[in-house]
């Protein structure tokens, strides 16, 4: 689904060839065609086709390394694993500058996200939106169709402008279709840019007619979608990053944001609109277009399916980024393949903060998000297997997520298979036999010290052995490195509650804020009857078409024989339905009782949150409350593509990165790194109307501080 009306490069806005999707079946039908001239958009059918193609623009965000590089790296939640493809975004090295970091400039490979990537791609969608907005009044005689297409156009333009403002601060406001080369623009201020974002999203909010799922529930943008992002934009304008100019907006923006959130929440059923089981947001994905992709909680998603015709330019590659290097650290006891939901690219390694911010006993989200066990799917050494009692399907990687006050494992030896680790499950907690040894194992704390980053086969500061998250896992891939088929959730009601809660805090309405937060925390509690050490994941599902007897994978059994196992067998052996809940909470009696996460106040925060406040040196009640919500956003939204913007918005990026991301701490600089550099490729193309170069001072005025 590639819609390119304007190519932005070297600072030039120009009309380029049009490609768009057919809408014969759905907006995911990506049979691309260039048979249409721009005159086609003077017809109702053409303009609706162009509207449907807007959904393709958002898939860009999840096609390559920028998915995590510009949204998660360099924050308190994630740092690098053993791969340094996008290292400049995590470390804020001087190589993160207006020029794209290429191999010619020293990049380790050609995949590092360029600072121009988001800038360029957002304008492709903006160009299409501009065409729809300019033509809709004259083209449509059907009022309902006109409003629907305009609502989509204003929403996509507002969303794309939102991403530009959040990352770069200011951008080019271009609201008219461009048919000629443009070389000079007026530099808009941040205040003007946020006004544009909010105006577009408000237009979309007013034009959408309720929750009319015109293009498919769980995918289509509706009034609630526009309301959610309108609220986020209003809150952004009212937040700390804009303190130098936003005072006249704050009071009304917070009121309007609360109103927008309230609409979205009520329109999607209030608390009953939330998925009841947190696992059903991500872990229990059961295949293409399954039920969890169609829930009321999802407000916006980048759509994908299994048709080869829908991959287009940007398939879903997010399954690559959160998984540790299980094959390497187990010395091949766990083989990789499409029968495991993630590839071992180990880009995003959770920080100590990301583990420690959870209540390890009572918060089910932790154990429904982190994957802590992989299974043996190949017997590497039959004699060792016989000695240790190992079988196919036994744990090969065991990751114990304990807490600093746990001394159980102080004298145990952990490590990867090549280091001959000696930890074993003496008490048969995992249920695969007392005294069983795992080829690779880790623990977070020994003797009160964090050691979770010291395991693996790479350097400590780039460990390739960690417990990753499962929110992007997809076992339906037709090949090990094939595109994922699942949708990527971009906004959901769980976040809407937290946005409204933050608005309430900023108004001093702490009781209302707590009520909204507790809606989310109640869902996060263990429900009565839940087994806490049962792990559910998208790995439990395996596409039938990939699991036939003829679709095999060569492995080795306990007798040392090479066998052709079916992929469904490999899937079963690789993915034990267990987690390390009881190993991580040693001494805790087995229970299926409900837990409670609502026993807190803003004056008496949970222990894990108070530790964060102490480390950050925060005592002011309002600041504590905002940081508590940031912590809650981690627990609820970990890895969901919003963290860098949240921290930049709230003025907490520098402090939190320095406190919790040692790789970022050395370079990150206040007054500079809260914004991204304006791309040099754009600046180089700016000219006077007569084609002469702009004065140096004018060019400098375009660039963000510090670059």
């Amino acid at each position: 689904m590639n819609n390119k009306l304007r190519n932005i490069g070297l600072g030039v806005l120009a009309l380029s060839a049009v490609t768009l999707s057919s809408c014969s079946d759905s907006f995911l039908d990506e049979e691309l065609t260039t048979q249409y001239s721009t005159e086609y958009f003077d017809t109702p059918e053409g303009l609706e086709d162009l509207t449907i193609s807007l959904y393709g623009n958002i898939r860009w965000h999840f096609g390559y390394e920028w998915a995590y590089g510009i949204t998660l790296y360099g924050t308190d939640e994630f740092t690098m694993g053993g791969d340094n493809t996008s290292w400049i975004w995590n470390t804020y090295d001087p190589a993160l500058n207006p020029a794209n970091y290429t191999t010619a400039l020293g990049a380790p490979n050609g995949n590092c996200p360029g600072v121009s990537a988001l800038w360029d791609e957002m304008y492709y969608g903006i160009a299409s939106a501009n065409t729809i907005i300019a033509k809709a009044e004259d083209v449509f005689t059907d009022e309902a169709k006109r409003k629907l297409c305009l609502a989509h156009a204003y929403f996509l333009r507002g969303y794309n402008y939102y991403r530009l403002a959040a990352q770069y601060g200011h951008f080019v406001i271009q609201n008219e279709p461009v048919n000629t080369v443009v070389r000079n623009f007026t530099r808009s201020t941040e205040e003007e840019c946020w006004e544009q974002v909010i105006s577009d999203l408000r237009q979309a909010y007013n034009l959408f007619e309720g929750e009319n799922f015109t293009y498919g529930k769980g995918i289509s943008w509706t009034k609630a979608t526009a309301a959610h992002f309108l609220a986020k934009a209003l809150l952004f304008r009212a937040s700390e990053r804009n303190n130098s100019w936003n005072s006249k907006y704050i009071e009304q923006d917070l009121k309007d944001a609360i109103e927008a959130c309230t609409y979205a929440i009520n329109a999607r059923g209030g608390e009953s609109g939330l998925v009841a089981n947190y696992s059903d947001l991500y872990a229990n994905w059961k295949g293409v277009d399954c039920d969890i992709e169609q829930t009321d909680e999802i407000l916006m998603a980048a759509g994908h399916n299994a048709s080869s015709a829908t991959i287009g330019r940007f398939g879903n590659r997010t399954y690559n980024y959160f998984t540790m290097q299980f094959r390497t650290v187990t010395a091949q006891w766990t083989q990789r393949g499409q029968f495991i939901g993630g590839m071992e690219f180990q880009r995003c390694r959770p920080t100590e903060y990301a583990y420690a911010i959870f209540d390890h006993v009572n918060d089910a989200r932790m154990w429904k998000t982190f994957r802590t066990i992989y299974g043996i799917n190949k017997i590497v050494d039959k004699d060792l297997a016989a000695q240790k009692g190992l079988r196919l399907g036994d744990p090969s990687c065991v990751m114990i997520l304990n807490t600093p006050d746990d001394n159980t494992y102080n004298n145990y030896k952990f490590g990867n298979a090549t280091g001959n680790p000696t930890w074993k499950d003496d008490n048969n907690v995992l249920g695969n036999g007392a005294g069983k040894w795992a080829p690779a194992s880790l623990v977070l704390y020994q003797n009160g010290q964090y050691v979770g980053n010291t395991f693996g086969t790479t350097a400590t500061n780039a460990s390739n052995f960690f417990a990753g998250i499962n929110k992007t896992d997809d076992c339906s891939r037709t090949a090990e490195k094939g595109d994922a088929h699942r949708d990527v959730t971009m906004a959901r009601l769980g976040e809407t509650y937290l946005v409204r809660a933050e608005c309430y805090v900023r108004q001093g309405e702490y009781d209302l804020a707590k009520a909204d937060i507790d809606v989310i925390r109640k869902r996060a509690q263990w429900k009565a009857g839940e087994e806490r050490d049962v792990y559910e994941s998208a790995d439990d599902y395996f596409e039938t078409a990939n699991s036939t007897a003829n679709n095999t994978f060569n492995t080795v059994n306990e007798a040392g024989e090479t066998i052709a196992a079916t992929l469904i067998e490999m899937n079963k052996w690789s993915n034990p339905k267990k987690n390390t809940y009881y190993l991580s909470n040693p001494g805790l009696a087995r229970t299926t009782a409900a837990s409670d996460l609502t026993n807190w106040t803003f004056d008496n925060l949970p222990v894990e949150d108070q530790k964060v406040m102490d480390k950050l040196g925060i005592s002011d009640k309002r600041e504590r409350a905002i940081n508590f919500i940031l912590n809650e956003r981690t627990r609820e939204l970990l890895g969901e593509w919003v963290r860098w913007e949240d921290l930049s918005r709230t003025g907490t990026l520098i402090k939190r990165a320095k406190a919790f991301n040692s790789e970022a701490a050395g370079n990150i600089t206040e007054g500079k790194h809260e914004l991204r550099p304006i791309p040099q490729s754009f600046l180089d193309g700016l000219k006077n109307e007569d084609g002469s170069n702009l004065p140096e001072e004018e060019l400098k005025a375009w660039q963000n501080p510090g670059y």
Side-chain angles (χ1 to χ4, degrees):
M1 221 178 334
N2 298 328
N3 174 48
K4 295 186 177 182
L5 280 178
R6 190 189 306 117
N7 181 23
I8 299 185
L10 300 178
V12 176
L13 301 182
L15 189 70
S16 67
V18 175
T19 59
L20 68 157
S21 63
S22 164
C23 65
S24 57
D25 296 314
S26 77
F27 68 86
L28 278 179
D29 178 3
E30 289 204 43
E31 183 179 346
L32 301 181
T33 177
T34 57
Q35 66 179 312
Y36 302 124
S37 71
T38 54
E39 293 177 356
Y40 180 59
F41 302 140
D42 292 326
T43 69
E45 297 79 14
L47 213 55
E48 186 177 15
D49 268 356
L50 188 58
T51 299
I52 293 169
S53 78
L54 298 179
Y55 285 92
N57 185 241
I58 63 174
R59 297 174 78 203
W60 171 88
H61 296 283
F62 309 106
Y64 290 105
E65 311 277 344
W66 49 68
Y68 67 89
I70 65 177
T71 63
L72 303 177
Y73 259 12
T75 69
D76 50 3
E77 291 182 348
F78 288 99
T79 187
M80 291 183 297
D83 187 282
N84 65 347
T85 290
S86 302
W87 69 280
I88 61 172
W89 294 88
N90 186 54
T91 64
Y92 299 94
D93 185 88
L96 182 62
N97 62 53
N100 289 336
Y101 190 48
T102 64
T103 53
L105 296 175
N109 55 56
N111 296 324
C112 182
V115 297
S116 66
L118 182 75
W119 182 277
D120 291 348
E121 193 67 28
M122 293 303 91
Y123 281 105
Y124 296 150
I126 289 166
S128 298
N130 285 341
T131 298
I132 295 164
I133 292 167
K135 292 179 177 290
E137 191 68 41
D138 295 330
V139 168
F140 286 112
T141 57
D142 184 326
E143 177 67 8
K145 189 72 71 176
R146 181 185 71 85
K147 289 181 67 176
L148 181 63
C149 289
L150 280 173
H152 277 76
Y154 277 114
F155 174 75
L156 192 277
R157 192 172 77 178
Y159 174 79
N160 284 9
Y161 278 150
Y162 173 89
R163 293 300 307 275
L164 290 171
Q167 289 279 329
Y168 302 99
H170 69 98
F171 51 82
V172 175
I173 297 176
Q174 180 61 47
N175 292 342
E176 300 294 332
V178 176
N179 297 308
T180 59
V181 172
V182 180
R183 297 184 181 277
N184 200 311
F185 310 95
T186 300
R187 182 193 184 281
S188 300
T189 65
E190 290 186 60
E191 182 176 0
E192 291 167 337
C193 289
W194 280 109
E195 179 58 36
Q196 180 64 52
V197 171
I198 290 165
S199 173
D200 278 352
L201 292 174
R202 200 185 298 276
Q203 284 271 41
Y205 176 69
N206 291 332
L207 285 164
F208 275 119
E209 295 185 347
E211 304 310 288
N212 179 13
F213 292 98
T214 306
Y215 299 121
K217 189 175 181 180
I219 293 295
S220 287
W221 307 332
T222 68
K223 193 179 187 74
T225 313
H228 175 87
F229 283 99
L230 174 59
K232 289 189 68 170
L234 290 163
L235 177 57
F236 208 127
R237 184 165 69 175
S239 294
E240 285 74 9
R241 201 179 82 181
N242 298 320
N243 274 353
S244 64
W245 55 265
N246 67 0
S247 59
K248 64 182 179 182
Y249 299 105
I250 293 175
E251 182 178 357
Q252 191 62 47
D253 280 357
L254 294 176
K255 290 180 181 178
D256 290 351
I258 290 169
E259 180 182 336
C261 287
T262 301
Y263 170 80
I265 290 168
N266 292 343
R268 292 299 179 92
E271 191 170 348
S272 64
L274 296 173
V275 171
N277 182 353
Y278 191 80
S279 286
D280 289 338
L281 287 169
Y282 297 102
N284 286 339
W285 188 74
K286 301 300 182 187
V288 181
D289 297 330
C290 63
D291 289 346
I292 72 169
E293 293 186 348
Q294 316 298 323
T295 68
D296 285 333
E297 179 159 353
I298 297 174
L299 299 173
M300 183 178 181
H304 296 270
N305 63 29
S307 170
S308 60
T310 67
I311 295 173
R313 183 179 174 204
F314 299 115
N316 178 0
R317 293 301 179 96
T318 59
Y319 68 91
N320 287 313
Y321 304 132
F322 300 101
T323 304
M324 63 93 162
Q325 217 167 11
F326 51 83
R327 182 178 62 169
T328 303
V329 302
T330 64
Q332 310 270 346
W333 289 81
T334 299
Q335 297 291 290
R336 69 186 190 188
Q338 64 265 47
F339 42 80
I340 294 179
M343 274 287 284
E344 51 178 3
F345 282 19
Q346 22 105 41
R347 301 291 201 265
C348 296
R349 174 167 58 92
T351 61
E352 179 186 3
Y353 160 84
Y355 298 123
I357 201 57
F358 288 89
D359 179 333
H360 288 216
V361 173
N362 298 306
D363 196 329
R365 290 173 297 193
M366 180 173 196
W367 302 101
K368 294 176 179 181
T369 298
F370 290 106
R371 176 170 185 158
T372 57
I373 298 178
Y374 286 85
I376 295 173
N377 59 30
K378 177 183 179 181
I379 301 298
V380 173
D381 183 331
K382 69 173 184 177
D383 294 331
L384 183 61
Q387 176 189 345
K388 303 291 187 181
L390 300 180
R391 305 180 303 269
L392 289 169
D394 282 351
S396 65
C397 283
V398 176
M399 292 157 275
I400 298 172
L401 309 184
N402 65 338
T403 55
D405 56 355
D406 171 40
N407 293 307
T408 305
Y409 303 104
N410 287 353
N411 298 316
Y412 281 74
K413 181 181 177 183
F414 294 86
N416 61 81
T418 58
N420 193 27
T422 59
W423 177 86
K424 59 184 183 296
D425 187 9
D426 289 318
N427 298 316
N428 195 21
V429 180
L430 297 179
N432 64 315
K436 280 290 183 74
W437 168 84
S441 58
L442 66 76
V443 68
L444 293 185
Y445 294 94
Q446 288 182 309
N447 299 301
Q449 298 298 310
Y450 183 69
V451 295
N453 63 337
T454 65
F455 302 109
T457 61
T458 60
T460 296
N461 284 339
S463 175
N464 62 343
F465 188 11
F466 54 84
I469 67 173
N470 62 15
K471 292 182 176 182
T472 61
D473 284 355
D474 183 354
C475 256
S476 75
R477 308 186 318 275
T478 55
E480 179 185 352
K481 299 180 181 180
D483 285 297
H485 301 138
R486 66 184 298 173
D487 298 344
V488 183
T489 299
M490 301 176 71
R492 56 183 178 86
L493 210 59
E495 184 188 16
T496 315
Y497 273 100
L498 296 177
V499 170
R500 190 169 71 174
E502 186 177 337
C503 291
Y504 283 138
V505 162
R506 291 174 182 275
Q507 289 185 327
E509 299 281 359
Y510 291 99
D511 289 343
L512 292 174
K514 184 180 188 302
D516 272 351
I517 294 168
D518 279 347
V519 169
I520 302 305
R521 289 176 69 85
K522 284 176 185 175
R523 182 194 27 207
Q525 298 168 171
W526 293 106
K527 308 302 187 293
E530 280 193 286
E531 292 286 355
R532 302 187 183 190
D533 60 346
V534 172
Y535 178 73
E536 297 175 296
S537 144
D539 292 326
D540 297 340
Y541 168 81
F542 200 58
E543 186 91 8
T544 302
N546 294 336
S547 308
T548 64
N550 294 326
N551 202 346
T552 58
F553 190 96
N554 287 336
T555 190
V556 178
N557 65 14
E558 290 89 344
E561 302 166 333
T562 298
I563 61 172
T566 65
L567 293 186
I568 202 165
E569 289 176 311
M570 294 295 291
N571 173 259
K572 178 182 177 182
W573 295 329
S574 306
N575 304 302
K577 297 181 184 296
K578 298 282 287 184
N579 64 41
T580 62
Y581 178 86
Y582 288 106
L583 287 172
S584 302
N585 296 293
L588 188 69
R590 178 170 289 275
T591 180
T592 58
S595 63
D596 182 10
L597 291 176
T598 64
N599 185 24
W600 64 277
T601 68
F602 285 109
D603 294 316
N604 186 23
L605 296 175
V607 172
E608 54 273 11
D609 292 279
Q610 187 57 51
K611 288 180 179 179
V612 169
M613 305 305 160
D614 291 343
K615 184 158 187 173
L616 296 177
I618 297 173
S619 58
D620 174 75
K621 181 175 181 177
R622 180 176 176 277
E623 191 178 358
R624 282 165 54 88
I626 290 173
N627 275 272
F628 174 75
I629 291 172
L630 289 173
N631 295 346
E632 194 62 38
R633 288 180 70 87
T634 292
R635 291 182 282 255
E636 180 69 16
L637 304 169
L638 182 66
E640 296 186 32
W641 326 109
V642 295
R643 192 59 172 183
W644 188 90
E645 293 171 7
D646 282 338
L647 299 189
S648 176
R649 170 180 66 80
T650 54
T652 59
L653 176 64
I654 308 300
K655 181 180 284 190
R656 281 182 167 254
K658 283 183 176 291
F660 302 119
N661 186 333
S662 60
E663 284 74 50
N667 292 318
I668 193 168
T669 303
E670 190 170 357
K672 176 180 179 180
H673 288 125
E674 295 93 341
L675 296 173
R676 307 302 195 186
I678 303 298
Q680 193 64 44
S681 56
F682 169 76
L683 298 178
D684 286 346
L686 291 174
K687 305 289 183 181
N688 290 312
E689 293 298 336
D690 62 4
S692 61
N693 292 330
L694 290 182
E696 189 67 20
E697 287 305 310
E698 286 190 36
L699 281 176
K700 287 182 178 179
W702 272 94
Q703 190 52 266
N704 281 325
Y707 292 104

